[in-house]
Amino acid sequence: MSEIPKAYEPQSVEEKWYQFWLDQKCFVADPSRVSEKRPAYSIVIPPPNVTGMLHMGHVLNNTIQDILSRKARMDGKEVLWLPGTDHAGIATQVQVEKALKKEERKTKYDLGREEFLKRVWTWKEKHGGIIINQLKKLGCSCDWTRERFTMDPEYSRCVQKVFVELYKKGLIYRGKRMVNWCPVSQTALSDEEVEMKPQKGFMYHFKVEVAESAELLGSAPASGAGASALAGDRRHDALSNASEKSTSQNAADEASAATPVAGVLPGPDGKIWLTIATTRPETIPGDTAVAVNPKDTRYAHLIGKHIIRPLPIQLPPEQKLIPIIGDEHVDFEFGTGVLKVTPAHDKADFEIGQRHKLPLVDIMNPNGTMNDLAGESLAGLDRFEARKVAVERLKELGVLVEEKPYENNVGYSQRADVPIEPRLSEQWFLKYPAVEQSKACVEHEEKGSTPAPGVVARALAGNSERLASQNVPDSSTPPNVTDGASVTAPEAGALPNKMHFHPQRWAKVYDHWLTNIQDWCISRQLWWGHRIPVWYLRHKGNAASAASVLKPAYEKFLGIWDVLKLDDLQEIDPQNFMLNADQLSGNEFEFRLCAICSDDEAKWLIDHGFTQDPDVLDTWFSSWLWPFATMGWPEKTPTLKAFYPTTDLVTGPDIIFFWVARMIMAGYEFMGDLPFKNVYFTGIIRDKQGRKMSKTLGNSPDPLELIAKYGADALRFGTMRSAPLGQDVLFDEKDVELGRNFCNKLWNACRFRQMQGQGAADILSAENGNFRQDVGSTFEVEGEICRELLTSDDKWILLKLDQAIREVTTALAEYKFSDATAALYRFFWNEYCDWYVEASKATLRPVETLNRENVESGSGSTNQPFNHSTSATAQKQNTLAVMDFVLSNTLRLFHPFLPFITEELWHGMGFNKDLPEAQGGKTIMFAHWPKPLDDDFKSHYGLDETDEQFVNAKYELVTQGRNLRREGNIQAGKKVKFVFKPAGELNPLDAEVLKILLNAESLEVNANYAPKKGTPQVLSPLGELFLPLEGLIDVEAEKARLKKELEKHEIEIQKVLAKLNNPNFTEKVPPAVLEEHKKRLEDWRAKKQKVQSALDALS
RNA sequence: GCGCGAUUAGCUCAGUGGUAGAGCAUUACCUUCACACGGUAGGGGUCGCAGGUUCGAAACCUGCAUCGCGCACCA
């Protein structure tokens, strides 16, 4: 017989079968096959960044999607798992810029927009396939014929169409707002792209002089009442006071010596000083007011007065004068209760500025350096450098009162990891559509995860067919909701469908976000992305001349026009403008066209003096259309009709706002229906210490290396096993190792089975280390199981299989992947391999060894006659049939988790042989998902609790017997004689099983056995087991062990007794529980009795 | 500040009212003809703390503590 490797070698196997699946078009979804009997199942992949690399998060995510897809195929559904990649605006552009800098020492500006974009496309072509190939290595069964990219021409048209539609609806608008500006990428960001991080810095207290000091001190006792007395023009006085401002260190010292509590410091120099707390002194030059709370009695009287802004120093005093205003926003508990207002560099300050019509002084450049308005000493410096310098200047002026360490939260740019700069700029915004519908559609039940009603029951629906006819399609599965009508929007308010989040708690987070939703800044100052489909033409001259310039374009395009009179920023209705241009005033106009343009049209517009908006759209503005834009929308394609709405979405909770919520809104807005029915949120993958995976920490393992080392199946299994529903996953390579070990176990269990079959040597081949079937082999697969020949172990394993099928099916229906793998692991390793395979050796061993000489019958044995010569072969064949049945079901249960090895074994074992092509004959992918054994099956084969309990007792006896060996210090490998004194009848086959499991040299079955004093023994419901080892056993040690056991049992007995003696318990407890307790007491007492007897036997 | 999770064996985690579990790690023994990526048998836990509900709580309720996450933030 040729050697097959003892260990499973995944590499060539995985390669081979993936190619096979591709060649056979196993992953391709065909909408025309969808019918009531063959419902659709669909998932769209969360598109990875096109130039990204596979990381553990992807592994988790995509393994789950693959499991769901493969399970759905085995359920007889038409499955579409739609793959693709995301252009990932900033990330990709930054990558290319870096490469450009490194390789050519150039910036994107050196190349210009067009050339730079060419480079990005080249980069995309070169790197874009990497992650796709990595997904293939993982075994993902995506329909690659439908692979999409967010910048495919068709996809881009969807993006433009959506933009134009929302623009028409008035939901997209352009405006000058405070946005989150990233000084590194030099673009605006959405609120979601800003991450708050605690940052250690300083809180600076500095004092400013109130310009009207003299006036205040002179005419009013420094009380709040004085304010009104100072009405009138104070400007001149204030200015002259300011110019006399003392900068002497002396004065400053005196001032700071006074208690700062009040915030108002009337110094001996005859001036009133206000103390201001800030973390950003470098923005002082941009201050245009100082604000206090009008209810704050300390300061209210100063409202309307002015302070002299200390920076920049060089300015003449009159230019430093800024007003003190009253605003409710100011918290008088915080700091000194005096707030410097910098409307151009702070969101809250901007709003205060709006309320008080304050001027905006922008003192920074887009790259985060200070501009000339910041003053000589700061201009040109980076903002953080400028902060230090500003503090120095304040010190020099003697106005710095305090500087203390302070930690506050600062918004960081997620991408560039630098603090964002609130900045006023002109951007495009979107008012989110369909918010209310999106909120209403997510199920908000209080408790537990809710699989769609009936899913579990349906999944478990029994099978009344016999073994031979396991291949009938499951018609009990109701069709998916995939009516083509959903392509058109239903009437408003008609929302029968609900969406389920798993775990449900994310619904609350989702809800909260939708409730407090802010308009979405969708424009980015990047080059890589979907360019905003808006064109501008500026015209200087009167309205009539402007109208004549616009005319050709106006007539050519049906797009939406806006006309803006730039003189006073007034919008004019375009039609009105074209008709009545001669009567309209104005000398400068801007025309704005929002339309989808072909290349030719774009060229035409450029030729006619139009320019396109230079900005591109936020990447998520394309991703949010993913579920339908990938299916051919706006055409009502067969794919869209058959597979939208999708069934499941699998993603990380970190993009619940970025992506999930927005897809839901887009789904409603453009398709009139929810885009998916279930959302499964994975956990976040962390390292062993619970830290997030990150490149800088270097704690992120390369999945490809893991696959090379352990195999894709191992990686998948290990990941699934350690990923409980909704919990973060602490990744440990040990888990993958466990996966590999498990695959190896599966491999060897099948190898064992193969070695039993006739002509095993022909069936097994060492080539490639793979299982191969020999065409000429007469080897039989899944032969008829004969009821009469079933051993108790056979029945036991069939019942365990039934249980495993139920557990795995239920777990999958509830998205509990770690439960499913745990059930599979337990069933296959602990039940099938540890017990059943070992027990089966009783019938599988060569006939000559299954000989009554080894199962000695004592006198008076009640054993049935056991005719080996005639029945042994049949018995063996029957056991093999059971094994084949169990293994065939097992492989199918495993297939979604371990696609490669199961396919290899499915063929290697020949399980595909008698099946129709489309139902497992070609590939296990389409073999039917195992159904639980139903009552007909069980009664036909006589499977019931009796057998299960008997076998449990048998195995328990074995464990006790092995214990005796250990206590007798018998080495694990050594064979010894056991004697068994049965309590009733004992089938010789069961005796043989006992012998094998005990690794006994022989097992004497003797109902009349009279042990010598001191023979170690165990007692079980099946009888007494003796280990006659005169002189070899340490009697005292054995006694000690038994005594310890006795104590243990006594404790248990006392525990149960305590309960049973409590009248409260016996009266109130449900009868079933009472019975159970009584039985428990009996059990423990019986056990104790047996140990006691054993102990007595020793002395 | 608001919200959400977590707290069970050395580690990572299951466990939705009725006898405390798994994997890893660990100890001892074993290369027995499927598998040392293996087998057999062990050891190891007052289930974060304090109250309450209950005949009965790891589980349910109320506080508290610690850790983590999200949202919102006061300069």
Side-chain angles (χ1 to χ4, degrees):
Chain A
M1 177 177 136
S2 46
E3 285 280 309
I4 354 162
K6 285 181 179 179
Y8 171 56
E9 287 158 12
Q11 286 71 24
S12 60
V13 169
E14 295 182 354
E15 197 96 359
K16 174 181 74 180
W17 288 114
Y18 202 85
Q19 195 53 49
F20 176 83
W21 293 327
L22 287 178
D23 292 344
Q24 300 291 316
K25 299 184 169 44
C26 294
F27 305 154
V28 179
D30 181 352
S32 72
R33 282 199 297 242
V34 173
S35 70
E36 215 166 274
K37 289 197 86 172
R38 190 175 174 79
Y41 177 91
S42 51
I43 301 187
V44 290
I45 204 170
N49 290 359
V50 66
T51 61
M53 301 291 261
L54 198 73
H55 56 63
M56 287 307 298
H58 293 125
V59 171
L60 174 64
N61 209 350
N62 289 291
T63 299
I64 290 173
Q65 292 174 69
D66 197 44
I67 288 169
L68 292 170
S69 299
R70 287 179 184 272
K71 165 70 164 52
R73 284 191 197 94
M74 295 177 80
D75 282 337
K77 294 177 182 165
E78 185 65 25
V79 172
L80 169 60
W81 181 11
L82 202 159
T85 47
D86 193 297
H87 68 280
I90 300 186
T92 308
Q93 176 163 331
V94 166
Q95 269 189 5
V96 178
E97 278 184 83
K98 270 187 190 162
L100 194 62
K101 186 143 203 185
K102 200 177 165 194
E103 288 157 22
E104 303 177 39
R105 306 206 143 272
K106 281 183 182 167
T107 68
K108 60 179 172 177
Y109 303 106
D110 295 333
L111 297 184
R113 185 163 186 152
E114 204 173 321
E115 179 57 27
F116 178 76
L117 283 178
K118 268 189 202 160
R119 299 291 183 94
V120 187
W121 276 106
T122 312
W123 181 274
K124 182 254 168 190
E125 295 311 326
K126 193 172 158 198
H127 296 87
I130 293 179
I131 195 153
I132 295 298
N133 277 319
Q134 291 177 322
L135 287 171
K136 290 177 179 173
K137 285 255 185 282
L138 188 61
C140 295
S141 58
C142 304
D143 182 351
W144 300 110
T145 65
R146 286 183 163 85
E147 186 185 334
R148 295 288 182 268
F149 174 53
T150 49
M151 279 179 56
D152 284 339
E154 308 80 38
Y155 201 105
S156 297
R157 268 198 295 283
C158 292
V159 174
Q160 290 175 344
K161 179 181 161 65
V162 160
F163 185 97
V164 172
E165 272 185 32
L166 293 170
Y167 184 92
K168 278 185 199 163
K169 276 196 164 184
L171 293 175
I172 285 181
Y173 60 92
R174 196 175 190 224
K176 209 167 184 183
R177 298 286 154 95
M178 287 302 279
V179 293
N180 309 300
W181 183 263
C182 172
V184 170
S185 350
Q186 299 203 36
T187 176
L189 301 173
S190 68
D191 295 343
E192 286 69 35
E193 288 163 289
V194 177
E195 207 174 302
M196 299 308 277
K197 282 192 188 181
Q199 188 181 255
K200 287 199 170 101
F202 290 91
M203 177 70 88
Y204 304 94
H205 288 233
F206 67 100
K207 57 177 187 171
V208 293
E209 184 189 337
V210 177
E212 291 89 344
S213 290
E215 206 178 320
L216 283 161
L217 290 170
S219 60
S223 80
S228 60
L230 292 160
D233 184 10
R234 296 132 285 156
R235 175 150 290 241
H236 179 73
D237 290 340
L239 287 177
S240 50
N241 277 344
S243 61
E244 289 156 19
K245 185 172 72 77
S246 160
T247 51
S248 85
Q249 194 59 44
N250 199 19
D253 286 347
E254 277 172 71
S256 45
T259 168
V261 171
V264 186
L265 304 168
D269 52 1
K271 288 166 186 164
I272 296 175
W273 297 84
L274 280 178
T275 306
I276 301 174
T278 184
T279 52
R280 300 199 63 186
E282 76 279 13
T283 63
I284 292 174
D287 290 349
T288 52
V290 162
V292 298
N293 194 303
K295 288 180 189 147
D296 191 337
T297 52
R298 292 173 298 178
Y299 308 118
H301 66 286
L302 296 175
I303 294 170
K305 305 292 182 292
H306 299 76
I307 64 107
I308 300 158
R309 192 185 57 212
L311 297 175
I313 294 171
Q314 304 84 352
L315 285 184
E318 65 273 14
Q319 284 178 35
K320 297 182 175 183
L321 214 58
I322 56 173
I324 300 169
I325 57 173
D327 195 286
E328 298 279 346
H329 169 79
V330 181
D331 177 356
F332 44 86
E333 301 280 316
F334 191 90
T336 59
V338 185
L339 171 69
K340 68 192 263 308
V341 184
T342 327
H345 296 281
D346 183 281
K347 243 178 188 173
D349 288 6
F350 176 78
E351 279 157 27
I352 295 174
Q354 294 287 91
R355 286 197 282 275
H356 297 269
K357 302 215 169 2
L358 297 176
L360 283 147
V361 179
D362 187 344
I363 54 166
M364 277 185 220
N365 298 311
N367 66 359
T369 58
M370 311 302 287
N371 66 22
D372 291 345
L373 289 176
E376 240 173 67
S377 55
L378 300 185
L381 296 179
D382 180 77
R383 52 196 169 142
F384 303 110
E385 195 53 38
R387 184 172 303 167
K388 290 179 198 158
V389 175
V391 172
E392 287 310 310
R393 293 293 93 86
L394 292 176
K395 274 186 192 159
E396 282 166 22
L397 291 171
V399 295
L400 189 71
V401 180
E402 203 183 353
E403 175 181 6
K404 59 179 174 188
Y406 185 72
E407 190 175 302
N408 63 337
N409 281 331
V410 176
Y412 270 68
S413 158
Q414 225 178 30
R415 282 279 159 217
D417 200 37
V418 292
I420 57 111
E421 199 55 54
R423 182 163 187 260
L424 187 73
S425 67
E426 187 145 55
Q427 303 288 345
W428 288 94
F429 295 89
L430 168 70
K431 271 191 217 305
Y432 285 102
V435 175
E436 287 312 310
Q437 283 163 307
S438 302
K439 246 167 106 167
C441 74
V442 174
E443 204 70 69
H444 280 85
E445 271 154 43
E446 281 305 306
K447 282 212 156 181
S449 69
T450 352
V455 163
V456 175
R458 214 185 302 139
L460 287 174
N463 173 24
S464 54
E465 293 114 42
R466 292 280 149 75
L467 279 180
S469 50
Q470 282 267 312
N471 308 312
V472 176
D474 180 7
S475 55
S476 64
T477 313
N480 233 349
V481 189
T482 49
D483 52 326
S486 65
V487 171
T488 55
E491 312 85 278
L495 291 171
N497 296 334
K498 282 274 180 180
M499 191 178 311
H500 299 266
F501 279 8
H502 308 269
Q504 194 130 33
R505 61 187 151 87
W506 291 109
K508 210 166 181 176
V509 177
Y510 168 84
D511 217 49
H512 183 254
W513 184 76
L514 276 180
T515 309
N516 300 296
I517 201 165
Q518 303 274 321
D519 290 355
W520 176 10
C521 175
I522 53 174
S523 46
R524 296 289 177 274
Q525 287 63 55
L526 303 172
W527 288 351
W528 175 242
H530 302 95
R531 198 150 167 189
I532 289 174
V534 173
W535 298 79
Y536 305 97
L537 176 64
R538 278 202 180 195
H539 178 80
K540 270 193 176 173
N542 64 30
S545 69
S548 65
V549 168
L550 180 59
K551 203 172 175 235
Y554 185 81
E555 282 167 359
K556 186 178 169 78
F557 287 94
L558 296 170
I560 281 290
W561 287 94
D562 284 305
V563 180
L564 186 69
K565 185 160 74 173
L566 290 171
D567 310 66
D568 52 6
L569 295 176
Q570 247 191 11
E571 294 235 12
I572 303 170
D573 174 62
Q575 204 172 356
N576 184 33
F577 176 82
M578 294 306 287
L579 292 175
N580 307 308
D582 357 339
Q583 293 144 48
L584 294 170
S585 64
N587 282 309
E588 191 174 0
F589 296 89
E590 183 182 275
F591 309 120
R592 203 189 277 174
L593 166 69
C594 176
I596 303 170
C597 295
S598 65
D599 289 351
D600 286 348
E601 289 167 328
K603 192 169 178 301
W604 188 94
L605 281 168
I606 291 165
D607 290 345
H608 286 74
F610 282 80
T611 50
Q612 187 173 6
D613 195 299
D615 290 354
V616 299
L617 289 159
D618 182 3
T619 297
W620 299 103
F621 192 86
S622 57
S623 317
W624 76 325
L625 314 175
W626 188 249
F628 51 88
T630 50
M631 294 193 192
W633 183 83
E635 303 302 318
K636 292 177 189 175
T637 61
T639 301
L640 196 61
K641 282 184 194 167
F643 294 107
Y644 190 93
T646 61
T647 318
D648 293 326
L649 178 81
V650 180
T651 189
D654 47 337
I655 51 174
I656 187 169
F657 310 136
F658 280 114
W659 197 47
V660 180
R662 287 166 178 167
M663 274 195 291
I664 293 170
M665 289 187 268
Y668 273 121
E669 180 66 12
F670 301 105
M671 299 295 290
D673 203 352
L674 39 79
F676 21 76
K677 297 188 198 79
N678 297 288
V679 183
Y680 176 90
F681 290 104
T682 66
I684 310 266
I685 297 248
R686 298 169 180 283
D687 70 4
K688 260 194 281 194
Q689 285 118 53
R691 301 173 304 180
K692 268 192 181 176
M693 297 280 179
S694 81
K695 274 185 195 159
T696 44
L697 276 176
N699 59 351
S700 179
D702 179 355
L704 272 295
E705 278 174 25
L706 292 170
I707 289 174
K709 195 168 164 193
Y710 299 103
D713 287 332
L715 177 62
R716 293 165 61 114
F717 196 79
T719 309
M720 284 301 96
R721 207 180 149 280
S722 52
L725 177 63
Q727 295 286 354
D728 286 356
V729 185
L730 301 198
F731 177 81
D732 186 343
E733 194 167 321
K734 283 267 177 203
D735 293 321
V736 188
E737 209 177 303
L738 178 123
R740 178 203 54 184
N741 295 353
F742 189 79
C743 289
N744 193 52
K745 192 76 176 175
L746 184 60
W747 175 261
N748 274 291
C750 288
R751 191 165 154 257
F752 173 78
R753 161 64 191 90
Q754 286 296 68
M755 291 166 94
Q756 310 305 319
Q758 51 172 301
D762 300 328
I763 295 160
L764 300 172
S765 155
E767 194 180 325
N768 294 329
N770 298 344
F771 262 89
R772 280 193 49 182
Q773 59 183 100
D774 188 312
V775 191
S777 165
T778 54
F779 178 70
E780 273 191 23
V781 171
E782 271 195 64
E784 270 308 298
I785 292 176
C786 172
R787 174 197 163 131
E788 283 68 34
L789 291 171
L790 282 179
T791 66
S792 57
D793 304 285
D794 291 337
K795 293 178 179 177
W796 183 85
I797 197 62
L798 287 170
L799 287 167
K800 293 295 177 190
L801 171 69
D802 174 52
Q803 197 190 336
I805 294 171
R806 288 171 196 275
E807 281 179 42
V808 174
T809 307
T810 304
L812 283 180
E814 293 174 347
Y815 304 89
K816 292 179 179 169
F817 302 97
S818 60
D819 287 13
T821 47
L824 285 167
Y825 189 95
R826 186 211 62 229
F827 165 71
F828 189 70
W829 201 308
N830 302 132
E831 292 167 356
Y832 180 78
C833 291
D834 287 352
W835 289 112
Y836 181 71
V837 170
E838 293 308 316
S840 74
K841 288 175 182 171
T843 50
L844 294 183
R845 282 196 170 166
V847 174
E848 59 270 24
T849 69
L850 182 63
N851 190 312
R852 296 191 83 176
E853 280 162 33
N854 291 332
V855 188
E856 290 168 17
S857 211
S859 58
S861 164
T862 53
N863 288 345
Q864 298 296 314
F866 189 59
N867 187 339
H868 298 286
S869 53
T870 59
S871 67
T873 310
Q875 183 65 63
K876 180 175 172 179
Q877 286 307 315
N878 205 52
T879 298
L880 291 179
V882 172
M883 250 182 194
D884 285 337
F885 178 72
V886 173
L887 285 175
S888 146
N889 275 275
T890 304
L891 288 179
R892 284 179 280 153
L893 281 179
F894 277 125
H895 178 253
F897 299 85
L898 311 171
F900 295 109
I901 190 175
T902 49
E903 186 76 280
E904 173 71 8
L905 291 171
W906 183 252
H907 292 263
M909 301 289 289
F911 291 151
N912 61 320
K913 270 191 170 176
D914 298 326
L915 296 173
E917 270 265 297
Q919 294 172 8
K922 187 161 75 183
T923 157
I924 192 175
M925 278 186 63
F926 298 109
H928 287 286
W929 182 254
K931 297 193 190 77
L933 311 182
D934 59 24
D935 292 345
D936 285 353
F937 183 100
K938 285 181 186 167
S939 69
H940 181 261
Y941 288 103
L943 310 180
D944 56 44
E945 273 188 23
T946 334
D947 296 293
E948 201 178 354
Q949 278 165 13
F950 170 76
V951 175
N952 286 340
K954 189 162 75 182
Y955 295 164
E956 199 180 318
L957 177 64
V958 168
T959 304
Q960 286 180 293
R962 287 166 174 171
N963 243 311
L964 283 187
R965 294 178 55 108
R966 178 170 163 79
E967 294 306 322
N969 279 323
I970 295 160
Q971 291 197 322
K974 193 176 177 188
K975 290 190 183 277
V976 283
K977 286 187 180 179
F978 277 91
V979 179
F980 185 60
K981 190 174 173 183
E985 290 187 7
L986 185 72
N987 185 312
L989 202 53
D990 286 321
E992 177 68 10
V993 168
L994 284 177
K995 191 200 113 185
I996 289 175
L997 294 179
L998 286 166
N999 195 22
E1001 186 186 11
S1002 69
L1003 179 76
E1004 179 189 336
V1005 179
N1006 184 348
N1008 302 316
Y1009 183 69
K1012 287 187 185 165
K1013 259 280 194 260
T1015 304
Q1017 61 166 315
V1018 290
L1019 292 93
S1020 90
L1022 301 184
E1024 297 166 61
L1025 183 69
F1026 300 93
L1027 181 57
L1029 275 178
E1030 299 99 41
L1032 286 180
I1033 193 164
D1034 180 342
V1035 176
E1036 289 312 310
E1038 178 65 2
K1039 274 188 190 171
R1041 180 185 73 89
L1042 292 171
K1043 274 181 185 162
K1044 201 176 152 196
E1045 199 149 325
L1046 212 55
E1047 277 167 32
K1048 248 193 215 167
H1049 292 173
E1050 186 56 29
I1051 289 168
E1052 294 299 333
I1053 289 167
Q1054 288 310 320
K1055 264 168 122 177
V1056 187
L1057 268 181
K1059 279 186 171 184
L1060 288 170
N1061 289 337
N1062 181 352
N1064 268 330
F1065 177 77
T1066 47
E1067 282 161 28
K1068 295 189 183 175
V1069 86
V1073 175
L1074 186 62
E1075 278 313 302
E1076 191 271 324
H1077 275 78
K1078 283 181 176 168
K1079 187 174 178 301
R1080 201 192 297 171
L1081 180 64
E1082 278 174 39
D1083 288 352
W1084 283 118
R1085 278 181 166 158
K1087 278 183 190 170
K1088 187 190 163 194
Q1089 182 53 47
K1090 281 166 187 165
V1091 176
Q1092 186 63 57
S1093 319
L1095 199 54
D1096 293 345
L1098 280 182
S1099 42

